[in-house]
Amino acid sequence: DDVYVPMSLVLRGHRVAFSYAAKARDVRSFDAKAEGERKTRTLTGVIQLLGLLPAIKSSANPIRAQFVMHKLARLTTPLWLTIVAIATLGMSTLFAVRYPTASALTLGALLATLAAIPPLRRRTMKLVGWVFSLQVATAKAVMNGVRGSWSVWQNTDRK
């Protein structure tokens, strides 16, 4: 409803603005699993919105470009990251074949740095976990949309 209501107003020709004085309170958990669940819910809602407000996709929507770029384009991030990962792996392989010593030294230096500096290793692994979790959440949301599975809210007992 945080997107449905303002988009309904925009589609009826109204302007929507933000008030910096408005206050919102939300209990958030800053771990990858909880953020992944939240992201799955919100992105599933974006896909559901396409069915609830079909005019949002049409030229009747004065902010269609913004909606596509801000809301819909992010649904493609797992695809783009997969393409980048494959390209990086391919380029790394070509580099390793052409310059095996430099590749081994570079990889060794990277691994030695991560091994020697535990806080850096923990932060790197945490970042990798977050990136992976958010991409899985996006993929789950797309699958929810394909299946028409809108029941993504679950009771939680977080305190």
Side-chain angles (χ1 to χ4, degrees), residues 9-120:
L9 292 170
V10 166
L11 291 171
R12 285 190 235 140
H14 299 285
R15 291 188 60 186
V16 176
F18 293 97
S19 170
Y20 292 101
K23 302 288 182 204
R25 288 178 175 68
D26 188 13
V27 178
R28 299 257 323 252
S29 174
F30 292 97
D31 66 270
K33 184 176 187 295
E35 187 64 14
E37 291 169 357
R38 187 188 73 77
K39 187 58 70 178
T40 298
R41 285 192 307 270
T42 59
L43 292 176
T44 298
V46 167
I47 297 168
Q48 184 181 28
L49 189 63
L50 296 171
L52 295 172
L53 288 175
I56 206 168
K57 301 174 280 191
S58 74
S59 60
N61 179 0
I63 59 170
R64 177 174 58 172
Q66 293 92 327
F67 178 78
V68 167
M69 294 309 297
H70 182 70
K71 296 293 184 186
L72 298 183
R74 73 175 65 175
L75 297 171
T76 66
T77 56
L79 171 66
W80 295 115
L81 283 176
T82 300
I83 291 169
V84 167
I86 291 168
T88 301
L89 183 61
M91 293 299 290
S92 298
T93 302
L94 290 174
F95 185 81
V97 167
R98 175 101 181 189
Y99 306 102
T101 304
S103 297
L105 288 173
T106 303
L107 182 59
L110 175 64
L111 294 175
T113 302
L114 290 175
I117 308 172
L120 178 62

